[in-house]
Amino acid sequence: MPRASAPAILPGSGGLRGALADLFWRRPKFLLILMLLPPLLWLGIVYIGSLFALLAQSFFSIDEFSGLINRQFTLKTYGDLFQAANLDIILRTVTMAALVTLASAVVAFPIAYYAARYARGRWKALFYLGVMLPLWSSYLVKIYAWKLILAKEGILTWLFGKLGLSWLLDAWLSLPIVGGNSLSVSFTGTFIVFVYVWLPFMILPVQAALERVPGNLVEASSDLGASPGQTFRNVLFPLALPGIVAGSIFTFSLTLGDYIIPAIIGTSRLFIGQAVYSQQGTAGNIPLAAAFTVVPIVIMGFYLWGAKRMGAFDAL
């Protein structure tokens, strides 16, 4: 006896559930809009809305006598950014961010190259574990650990003493800009901790970019008589540059906005993050704090525009 086949079209389930199912099936774009609506509302109202509120605050000013905010449109607050003290804060932060980015790229490249070219199997898993492991620990714990390492009685000073290089450390700390009483209260210490904390964000994009470089290009360069230096300059570096720029987006932007590391390790000279905290919390000058906050946004806007032109987003 032949077996009865299932009907080609199943009957509707009926009720509200069935009506919604039919609507979503006939209008898939409506379902897509409904799914995207909550995150878009969050992004549009909470995130972008707060940025616009911040931008609006930066066009206000504060009354020097009463300390109250004058909610009239003015560019006076942005003019205050060009005062010597405030401009010094901006230049100091941008310089530190550029140096940290450059140092991170120099340190990350050989590590990423080894992982991309030679690490296989368990060694590659060990590489990823070693790169990601510092990110799993507490941010504050790492910074305070480095403060102990860099302190005058810390392990680094002890190591210099054992190697007979205390004179070199003292000579470096005596320099006017980068030095201080110890590494833990100097720009050098701030620089070291910045590089350590943000280095994984540089290694991973560079490693991903290097893995896309065909191995036969390096071999062809060698077969044509190019030295290792020429191969690096003409083959590896240009092809890895999008990954370096992609990593620099993280290291540069995170250094620009960070205020915890300079507050714990460093001198009394402020960075932009500390200036925002100080102006909003201690001084109560919210317009100036908002203007300081706009500076990294503008800088990163131009930076991202340049990074996009160099193909950095393809290496993220």
Side-chain angles (χ1 to χ4, degrees), residues 30 51 55 73 90 108 126 198 213 250 257 275 309:
F30 181 77
L51 287 180
L55 181 64
F73 183 88
I90 296 172
L126 185 63
W198 307 140
V213 179
F250 296 106
R309 292 177 60 90

Side-chain angles (χ1 to χ4, degrees), residues 145-225:
W146 269 103
K147 188 173 182 65
L148 294 176
I149 294 172
L150 300 174
K152 202 163 189 175
E153 301 81 11
I155 188 173
L156 200 57
T157 305
W158 172 84
L159 181 61
F160 271 89
K162 286 295 183 180
L163 296 175
L165 297 175
S166 297
W167 61 271
L168 180 61
L169 180 60
D170 294 337
W172 181 264
L173 292 176
S174 64
L175 296 176
I177 297 177
V178 298
N181 293 330
S182 69
L183 287 173
S184 63
V185 287
S186 66
F187 284 131
T188 302
T190 308
F191 169 78
I192 292 173
V193 178
F194 267 134
V195 173
Y196 166 79
V197 172
W198 307 140
L199 185 61
F201 296 97
M202 177 65 77
I203 293 176
L204 294 177
V206 176
Q207 186 259 347
L210 287 172
E211 282 195 339
R212 297 192 184 101
V213 179
N216 55 9
L217 291 181
V218 179
E219 296 173 0
S221 176
S222 177
D223 293 340
L224 292 173

Side-chain angles (χ1 to χ4, degrees), residues 46-247:
V46 178
Y47 183 72
I48 298 179
S50 63
L51 287 180
F52 275 110
L54 176 69
L55 181 64
Q57 291 275 2
S58 66
F59 289 106
F60 298 154
S61 62
I62 192 167
D63 189 277
E64 298 178 357
F65 297 99
S66 64
L68 299 177
I69 297 177
N70 184 11
R71 300 183 182 277
Q72 293 182 353
F73 183 88
T74 180
L75 295 177
K76 177 181 177 299
T77 305
Y78 282 100
D80 293 340
L81 290 178
F82 292 95
Q83 294 179 359
N86 295 331
L87 191 61
D88 184 55
I89 293 173
I90 296 172
L91 293 177
R92 182 183 306 115
T93 307
V94 174
T95 302
M96 177 64 77
L99 292 175
V100 168
T101 299
L102 180 61
S104 298
V106 171
V107 175
F109 195 93
I111 300 174
Y113 180 80
Y114 176 81
R117 289 294 170 197
Y118 301 107
R120 295 291 183 272
R122 293 182 179 179
W123 287 107
K124 178 156 284 191
L126 185 63
F127 160 78
Y128 283 115
L129 180 63
V131 172
M132 300 297 293
L133 190 61
L135 299 179
W136 299 345
S137 59
S138 171
Y139 178 72
L140 285 175
V141 169
K142 290 185 292 186
I143 297 174
Y144 277 108
W146 269 103
K147 188 173 182 65
L148 294 176
I149 294 172
L150 300 174
K152 202 163 189 175
E153 301 81 11
I155 188 173
L156 200 57
T157 305
W158 172 84
L159 181 61
F160 271 89
K162 286 295 183 180
L163 296 175
L165 297 175
S166 297
W167 61 271
L168 180 61
L169 180 60
D170 294 337
W172 181 264
L173 292 176
S174 64
L175 296 176
I177 297 177
V178 298
N181 293 330
S182 69
L183 287 173
S184 63
V185 287
S186 66
F187 284 131
T188 302
T190 308
F191 169 78
I192 292 173
V193 178
F194 267 134
V195 173
Y196 166 79
V197 172
W198 307 140
L199 185 61
F201 296 97
M202 177 65 77
I203 293 176
L204 294 177
V206 176
Q207 186 259 347
L210 287 172
E211 282 195 339
R212 297 192 184 101
V213 179
N216 55 9
L217 291 181
V218 179
E219 296 173 0
S221 176
S222 177
D223 293 340
L224 292 173
S227 64
Q230 291 174 324
T231 301
F232 171 77
R233 291 192 301 271
N234 299 319
V235 179
L236 280 177
F237 183 74
L239 294 176
L241 188 59
I244 297 174
V245 177

